[in-house]
Amino acid sequence: MSREYFKIGEVAAMLDTTVRTIRYYEEEGLLVPHRTDGGTRLYSEHHIDRLRAILHLAENGFPLDVIGLIGYTRQTCATGDEGSKKLIGILDSTISDIEAKITELKALKSELIAASKLVARCKGCRNEPSSKGCPECPLNKNLAKIEALNLIWE
């Protein structure tokens, strides 16, 4: 049997998040809980489902302004047709952003794999890990090609 409302601490525990996170999303206008006369926040199953969606998007790098647009655009429209057109635009743009990010992450993955292979070549090396101590080090020679090596090497 389902309860009608839950307090903020219960919701945080249910969703494995913090009370502060929930309050933050409320401050950002992404979530509007019911309030008792005393000011206690009360969350329905709908609020919990909405918060779960917000957390999922936020954890995957969605900016809060985009989450807000997705969450409230329909309410600003006079018709379902208008809402559909606006939301499709927002979602299609977001999908394009995700595809660009996937491309960037794939390139970064390749770079880190290459860096890992070069670092593995240092196993057993007895030289000081610096350009002075190991001037022929493959890491040193690939700094311009593999950006991540600039964090590793001096």
Side-chain angles (χ1 to χ4, degrees):
M1 183 171 170
S2 176
R3 288 174 32 194
E4 193 170 335
Y5 292 107
F6 300 85
K7 291 183 178 179
I8 193 168
E10 295 171 309
V11 174
M14 272 188 248
L15 299 179
D16 194 27
T17 191
T18 65
V19 168
R20 179 66 199 120
T21 297
I22 297 170
R23 286 185 181 143
Y24 176 69
Y25 292 146
E26 181 183 344
E27 290 164 10
E28 292 296 312
L30 299 175
L31 191 64
V32 182
H34 300 290
R35 295 248 187 186
T36 65
D37 292 337
T40 301
R41 294 168 173 87
L42 296 175
Y43 299 85
S44 66
E45 291 287 342
H46 173 72
H47 289 113
I48 294 167
D49 291 340
R50 183 179 182 89
L51 181 56
R52 188 177 287 114
I54 292 166
L55 289 166
H56 179 66
L57 294 174
E59 288 167 358
N60 283 285
F62 277 67
L64 294 184
D65 61 332
V66 172
I67 295 171
L69 277 173
I70 292 169
Y72 288 108
T73 294
R74 248 182 124 205
Q75 296 172 11
T76 66
C77 298
T79 66
D81 182 62
E82 179 188 0
S84 174
K85 288 175 183 172
K86 285 184 177 181
L87 274 167
I88 287 170
I90 293 165
L91 294 172
D92 286 350
S93 174
T94 302
I95 291 166
S96 293
D97 292 346
I98 290 169
E99 288 171 346
K101 190 60 150 177
I102 289 169
T103 300
E104 291 171 15
L105 288 171
K106 284 181 178 179
L108 179 58
K109 178 183 176 185
S110 294
E111 180 180 326
L112 294 177
I113 289 170
S116 179
K117 288 178 181 177
L118 285 172
V119 170
R121 290 174 61 186
C122 295
K123 285 183 181 175
C125 178
R126 298 197 183 273
N127 295 331
E128 176 188 330
S130 68
S131 53
K132 185 178 179 182
C134 192
E136 298 302 313
C137 182
L139 270 71
N140 192 37
K141 292 182 175 194
N142 285 281
L143 293 174
K145 293 181 201 168
I146 304 173
E147 197 170 284
L149 292 177
N150 288 289
L151 283 172
I152 298 167
W153 192 255
E154 301 178 338

